[in-house]
Structures are given as C-alpha cells and as structure tokens.
Amino acid sequence: MSTAPDPTPSTPSTGPAPGRGRKGAERREALLDAAEEVLVAEGGPEWTMRAVAAAAGVRLGHLQYYFPTHAELVAAVLERVLRRSAERLAPLLSADADTPGAATGVVTTLLAEQEDARLMRLFVEVWALAARDATVAAAVRGFYGDYRTQVAAFLARRHPDLPEEERQARAGVFVMLIEGASMFRSGVAGERDPATDRALIRTALALLGP
C-alpha cells in the first residue's frame, strides 16, 4: 500500500492532546476500529485517511486531530493489533508448564485462533504492510521476537536441562510452524484438512517436548 499521507492537516489551535481523557480515549478507539474495518474489508491499497474518516463517519480533520499523518495511524493500528495478540498469547505460555496437557492447550488454543477469519485477514494485511514499510516490519519483528522468547521460556520451565541454543531453535521453529500454518488453515493459501491438522499438532507438540 502507499504510505503517503493525505493532504497535510490543519493543527487545532486549542484543545487537549489527542486521546487524553475518557472521551478522547473512546473516540480514538472508535477511529482505530474504523481503520481496522477498512483494512480488513478493502486491503492496504484502499487504506487511506479519507477512507478511514468516511468509515468512522467523521470529517478528515477530526481523524487527523488524533492521527495527524497516515504513518501515525498505521503505527497505532499495528500496535493495537499486536498488543491484543500478545495479551492472548501471554497467559498460555506463562502457565505452569508441568501441568498435564499444558503443551496441548497451548497448541490447540493457538490453532483455534486461526479459525477467526477476520483476525487472520487482519494479520495478512499487517504482513503485507510490513513487506512495504520498514517501520511496520520492525514492529512485526519485535512482536515475533517476544513470541519466540515466551515459547523459549515455556520450554525452559518444561525442560530445564535442554540447552539454551536448542530451546531457542525449537521456539523459533514452533513460531514459524504455527504462524505459517495460519496462511493455509485460514483459507488464504489453502484449506483446513483434519489429517493435516493432526500431523501439525503432533509436530508442534514434538517441538515442545513430551
């Protein structure tokens, strides 16, 4: 998508800093909701400031009060998408690794998220943005770096005798396996298949260990 902003906004002469206060925060969230909807429905090429303002039912200047440039809007949407995903992921990987079925719970929960078509479309668009924008790419790499760190920590609690290099390698492959599977299981690059799913779960569990 083009990351060029819409025409330069006029700066409000008075008023609180954008997003401060309960009402400001609610308006900001509503604008981000609209931005996500445009991204999911239309894709990156149509994801302009004007399109987002129209979807939110506000004037362009109102959107630009909260997000003066297209780059700032992109950054805010990305931060929220990745934060929500990290919040869902953290409890899974911070749970007691010795609990019976802990590893199975991690794998099946992560795969269940891939059945959310809207979430998967959102991530596909984020990945596409990352391929075009170095700032977005850095944020995405940071997210997946944290993801890998949490998996490695889960492995460390589960298998304390496993060498650190091996833990990091397994964690890296686990993240690649699960995230790569989302492209196929979500229908973007393929379709879900029960036999393939069973093999996928076996492979993921093998990486986390018995």
Side-chain angles (χ1 to χ4, degrees):
M1 73 172 259
S2 170
T3 56
D6 284 335
T8 303
S10 57
T11 303
S13 57
T14 60
R20 288 191 179 175
R22 183 176 61 82
K23 287 187 178 180
E26 289 174 353
R27 290 168 182 158
R28 187 176 188 276
E29 287 299 302
L31 293 171
L32 291 175
D33 287 342
E36 282 190 19
E37 289 303 322
V38 173
L39 183 59
V40 170
E42 305 296 338
E46 304 302 322
W47 200 37
T48 66
M49 295 284 276
R50 291 188 185 280
V52 171
V58 301
R59 297 189 305 274
L60 178 60
H62 178 84
L63 175 63
Q64 291 173 320
Y65 177 75
Y66 287 89
F67 307 102
T69 67
H70 189 274
E72 288 175 84
L73 177 62
V74 170
V77 169
L78 178 65
E79 188 277 333
R80 194 173 73 152
V81 170
L82 296 183
R83 172 169 44 82
R84 284 196 309 241
S85 188
E87 287 170 354
R88 289 192 297 268
L89 182 64
L92 297 173
L93 295 173
S94 62
D96 188 348
D98 292 329
T99 300
T104 300
V106 168
V107 174
T108 55
T109 301
L110 289 172
L111 294 182
E113 284 197 347
Q114 296 175 3
E115 297 174 16
D116 183 339
R118 184 186 182 282
L119 179 64
M120 288 301 99
R121 176 64 187 269
L122 196 56
F123 266 95
V124 167
E125 294 298 338
V126 166
W127 293 332
L129 285 171
R132 297 179 173 90
D133 187 303
T135 301
V136 175
V140 171
R141 284 195 299 270
F143 167 75
Y144 284 114
D146 289 342
Y147 185 171
R148 176 176 178 169
T149 296
Q150 290 183 62
V151 175
F154 181 84
L155 278 166
R157 294 193 303 274
R158 190 172 173 81
H159 303 290
D161 296 332
L162 200 64
E164 174 64 15
E165 183 178 4
E166 178 64 16
R167 285 200 298 267
Q168 291 295 334
R170 286 196 190 189
V173 174
F174 180 87
V175 172
M176 288 185 238
L177 177 69
I178 297 296
E179 294 305 294
S182 69
M183 290 291 290
F184 292 87
R185 299 182 75 254
S186 64
V188 174
E191 299 294 337
R192 289 181 57 201
D193 172 72
T196 302
D197 272 2
R198 289 192 293 270
L200 172 63
I201 292 171
R202 286 197 304 270
T203 304
L205 289 176
L207 289 167
L208 296 181

